[in-house]
Amino acid sequence: MLFEAGLKRIKKLIFSLVFLSFFLSGKLVAQDSSITVTGLQPFLENADEIPGLEFIVYFKALNDTTDLTLLNLSQHADSINFWFSDTILLYTEAKELNADLSLLNQGLGSINYLLFKREVGESTVVEYLDNLIRNELFVPISIVNNSFGNEGELVLLGTNTPFRPFYKLKVKILSDVKMLLLLACLSMFLIASLIMVLVMFVIKSKKRRKEILTLRFKNLCYGPISDLLFDDETQKLNQLKKDDLVALFPKDHLEIDLFKDVMIQEIISLNKNMKGDFKARLKLIYRKLDLDKHSIKKLSLKRWDKVASGIVEINEMDIIEAAPLVEKFTSHENFYIRSNAVATMLNISNDMSLKVLAEQRYPLSRWQQMNYYRIIKYLNYKGNVEVNLLFESQNESVRIFGIKLVRYLGFVDRLSILQEMYGSASINEKIEILKCYDNFNHVDGLEDIHQDLGTSDKTLFLNIVKVLKNLGSEISQILLMEYFKKTKDFECRLKILEAVNSLNPDLVTLRDFPNKDEEVDLILAHLKDPILSHV
């Protein structure tokens, strides 16, 4: 295939070179047909009719009585001796007429040129003929005879080689690889677009059908659930069998998964808004209709949204027996599955040590921390939650969350553990520990805080200054003033002076700053201004 393509390119190159050689050598006579004024008449004698060019014969007779009307000449209005002919298309005919007039009557005759009905000179005619020949609008007989002989065919000299078709196939387009690729791409695009439109139509139809069925099922299940919830007592409801409950709903509807999903959503929605005995009734209805099995069945599906939905249902309806199955998803790579699984395990496992949270490998987001805190806060009302295991976790975000729980839940007895952690803690952990110190006025950790005043992290430094502002000692004042002289950062200097001013207002005076600058004066004026003191 490559050899044939290369051979074709070589043939085309040879043909181009041969044609160019003829062109440059002057064998294409059409490009070498310039005309001069002296050669105009011989040229016109050998030429046929030329478009736009006509001839007229003027003749001045010597005798006034001469009558030339028989030769189709017209007499001039101003002179009876001056005659002129009609326009003549061929130069040879004009020349013959002029010769006949000279033989019949002694006089002066001339042939003039008309170019588009206007009389012009020979130089204009020569220029006009050159333009016609150059643009191949007129080919003289002499050029045709010299170039192509007597065959009468317009054949280029460069095509003397035998003709060989460039394309072997009859259909030219089928032998062009690029064109075939283009057609293939267009066909694939057309097919893909048709498939996409078909898929979108099917998906939209299914979605529309699901919305209609969901609305219909919601109306069908709302009545029976309301009757069971408000009309029957808990004891009577507990005595009912599954068949008795199924009979309250449309026949065979409980065999439809979508109907079960709609009913579960309605029960969960009511469960969130109910309290006391009503919540127990809803969970009883949920179990008697075997909807708990439907929720557990979702855990084995491949779609992540179905799995997450099943975990949420298990969490809302407190299906404790499903805890071993949910535990498998606590380290799942999907964020939603993992988050709901951990929340469910915290809710139904009754594990006060928070082991499932301590074993998390993925970082905890703020949304997860807020969700888990709500559950842990509820668990703490039922019993003391142990957060010590969170401090030993390999996950930094889990350790930070454990430190936050100390502050949020008021675990003052855990401050000693945080003090032991402070030395080896990361910057983010130290910031949270400092917030706990500040919240509970824990002055036992001042020594560790003083050592961290030389930190290069600005956020940690500002948090340390904030804690020392409330808990600092005389040593803290001295250290703060030392670091005030070292630092050039305006925000840090402002916070240091605020802290020192809060601890010992008498220390912050103008005489205490022998090397004060304009910035220090502005800060001091700001601190002592009662209007700006809290700005």
Side-chain angles (χ1 to χ4, degrees):
M1 187 69 182
L2 294 174
F3 176 76
E4 293 179 358
L7 187 60
K8 291 176 183 178
R9 292 182 179 178
I10 293 173
K11 289 180 180 180
K12 292 174 67 177
L13 180 60
I14 293 174
F15 174 77
S16 301
L17 293 175
V18 171
F19 183 80
L20 184 61
S21 64
F22 279 113
F23 180 80
L24 296 177
S25 62
K27 291 187 178 181
L28 291 178
V29 186
Q31 296 296 329
D32 192 27
S33 57
S34 59
I35 305 171
T36 61
V37 175
T38 56
L40 177 60
Q41 292 184 3
F43 177 83
L44 294 175
E45 291 176 358
N46 295 322
D48 290 332
E49 181 180 341
I50 300 173
L53 182 62
E54 297 175 330
F55 309 94
I56 186 171
V57 178
Y58 291 107
F59 187 78
K60 187 176 182 181
L62 299 178
N63 192 353
D64 296 342
T65 60
T66 304
D67 187 9
L68 301 178
T69 54
L70 295 175
L71 296 176
N72 295 326
L73 267 68
S74 301
Q75 193 174 26
H76 201 276
D78 297 335
S79 178
I80 59 175
N81 294 339
F82 194 75
W83 298 80
F84 60 91
S85 68
D86 294 332
T87 56
I88 304 172
L89 296 178
L90 296 177
Y91 181 79
T92 54
E93 294 181 0
K95 186 177 181 181
E96 290 176 358
L97 178 59
N98 188 35
D100 292 342
L101 290 173
S102 299
L103 292 175
L104 291 174
N105 190 355
Q106 295 296 328
L108 299 176
S110 63
I111 302 174
N112 287 17
Y113 305 98
L114 296 177
L115 189 59
F116 298 106
K117 304 301 180 181
R118 293 182 60 186
E119 194 169 326
V120 295
E122 290 183 345
S123 59
T124 305
V125 175
V126 170
E127 185 179 353
Y128 174 68
L129 292 175
D130 280 339
N131 288 332
L132 290 180
I133 295 172
R134 189 183 305 111
N135 295 308
E136 299 182 358
L137 300 175
F138 173 72
V139 181
I141 297 176
S142 59
I143 295 178
V144 175
N145 293 334
N146 293 334
S147 300
F148 308 113
N150 298 323
E151 297 179 359
E153 298 178 357
L154 186 62
V155 181
L156 293 174
L157 294 178
T159 58
N160 291 332
T161 56
F163 173 74
R164 293 181 182 178
F166 186 75
Y167 296 96
K168 294 183 179 180
L169 299 177
K170 292 182 179 180
V171 183
K172 195 174 185 179
I173 195 173
L174 296 179
S175 61
D176 193 338
V177 178
K178 294 182 179 178
M179 184 60 68
L180 288 175
L181 291 175
L182 178 61
L183 290 175
C185 292
L186 291 176
S187 301
M188 291 177 61
F189 176 77
L190 181 61
I191 295 172
S193 61
L194 291 175
I195 294 175
M196 184 177 66
V197 171
L198 182 61
V199 171
M200 290 176 63
F201 176 76
V202 172
I203 292 175
K204 190 174 181 180
S205 300
K206 287 184 177 180
K207 184 179 179 181
R208 178 61 179 169
R209 182 174 177 273
K210 183 178 180 181
E211 291 176 353
I212 295 174
L213 289 176
T214 301
L215 184 61
R216 185 184 302 173
F217 290 161
K218 187 178 292 186
N219 294 330
L220 290 175
C221 67
Y222 183 75
I225 293 176
S226 300
D227 295 338
L228 292 172
L229 185 61
F230 298 106
D231 294 345
D232 295 335
E233 297 179 356
T234 304
Q235 185 177 2
K236 181 180 179 181
L237 184 62
N238 208 4
Q239 296 175 354
L240 292 176
K241 297 180 180 180
K242 178 184 176 181
D243 296 337
D244 299 330
L245 294 177
V246 172
L248 299 174
F249 296 91
K251 186 178 180 181
D252 298 331
H253 275 56
L254 281 172
E255 302 298 327
I256 303 174
D257 290 340
L258 181 59
F259 186 80
K260 292 181 181 178
D261 291 335
V262 172
M263 186 178 295
I264 291 173
Q265 293 303 319
E266 288 298 312
I267 292 175
I268 291 176
S269 178
L270 291 171
N271 184 61
K272 290 181 178 180
N273 298 316
M274 297 292 178
K275 293 182 179 180
D277 189 43
F278 291 106
K279 295 177 73 73
R281 292 184 187 182
L282 286 170
K283 293 178 180 179
L284 185 59
I285 295 171
Y286 180 81
R287 288 182 176 274
K288 281 187 171 291
L289 291 173
D290 290 337
L291 297 178
D292 55 337
K293 296 180 181 179
H294 180 69
S295 298
I296 295 174
K297 184 181 177 181
K298 290 183 179 180
L299 301 181
S300 60
L301 300 178
K302 294 182 178 180
R303 288 180 52 180
W304 70 267
D305 56 325
K306 294 292 185 181
V307 176
S309 176
I311 294 174
V312 171
E313 293 168 6
I314 291 171
N315 184 23
E316 292 291 340
M317 304 312 295
D318 296 334
I319 307 177
I320 300 176
E321 60 270 20
L325 297 175
V326 176
E327 189 177 5
K328 298 178 181 178
F329 297 99
T330 54
S331 298
H332 199 275
E333 59 183 7
N334 186 284
F335 174 81
Y336 299 100
I337 293 177
R338 182 177 68 253
S339 301
N340 288 300
V342 173
T344 302
M345 289 301 297
L346 289 174
N347 187 33
I348 67 176
S349 65
N350 291 323
D351 184 10
M352 294 297 180
S353 64
L354 308 180
K355 180 180 178 182
V356 65
L357 194 58
E359 295 176 351
Q360 283 295 292
R361 296 182 292 108
Y362 296 93
L364 299 181
S365 66
R366 292 184 178 181
W367 178 84
Q368 286 177 310
Q369 294 181 28
M370 179 185 67
N371 190 26
Y372 299 157
Y373 168 69
R374 179 179 59 83
I375 299 173
I376 294 172
K377 183 179 180 181
Y378 173 75
L379 292 176
N380 193 51
Y381 290 147
K382 298 168 60 177
N384 292 328
V385 176
E386 297 293 334
V387 296
N388 297 3
L389 197 60
L390 300 182
F391 302 150
E392 301 173 1
S393 175
Q394 300 296 322
N395 191 336
E396 181 183 353
S397 63
V398 174
R399 296 196 300 271
I400 292 175
F401 180 61
I403 298 170
K404 289 180 179 179
L405 290 177
V406 172
R407 185 167 83 254
Y408 294 156
L409 300 178
F411 294 151
V412 182
D413 55 333
R414 306 300 198 283
L415 290 175
S416 58
I417 300 177
L418 296 183
Q419 186 174 343
E420 294 176 1
M421 289 176 54
Y422 187 86
S424 59
S426 64
I427 292 178
N428 293 326
E429 292 176 81
K430 286 182 178 180
I431 292 174
E432 292 299 328
I433 293 174
L434 289 173
K435 291 179 180 179
C436 290
Y437 287 173
D438 191 26
N439 191 66
F440 298 114
N441 295 326
H442 185 68
V443 296
D444 295 341
L446 281 178
E447 184 177 352
D448 294 331
I449 296 175
H450 290 159
Q451 293 178 359
D452 267 348
L453 270 174
T455 180
S456 59
D457 188 270
K458 182 178 179 180
T459 305
L460 178 60
F461 181 81
L462 292 176
N463 277 275
I464 291 174
V465 173
K466 182 180 178 182
V467 174
L468 293 179
K469 179 181 178 181
N470 300 326
L471 307 179
S473 60
E474 294 182 357
I475 298 176
S476 302
Q477 300 172 25
I478 298 173
L479 292 175
L480 287 173
M481 295 306 298
E482 289 290 333
Y483 282 101
F484 178 83
K485 298 176 183 179
K486 295 179 181 179
T487 183
K488 297 298 181 181
D489 186 81
F490 176 80
E491 185 179 4
C492 293
R493 301 183 86 186
L494 175 62
K495 296 299 180 181
I496 290 175
L497 286 183
E498 284 183 356
V500 174
N501 186 57
S502 176
L503 294 172
N504 187 2
D506 297 333
L507 185 62
V508 183
T509 58
L510 293 175
R511 62 176 178 273
D512 294 325
F513 301 94
N515 298 323
K516 62 181 182 301
D517 52 19
E518 184 178 357
E519 186 178 87
V520 175
D521 294 338
L522 292 175
I523 295 175
L524 292 174
H526 177 90
L527 294 176
K528 293 184 178 298
D529 192 331
I531 299 177
L532 301 177
S533 59
H534 298 288
V535 177

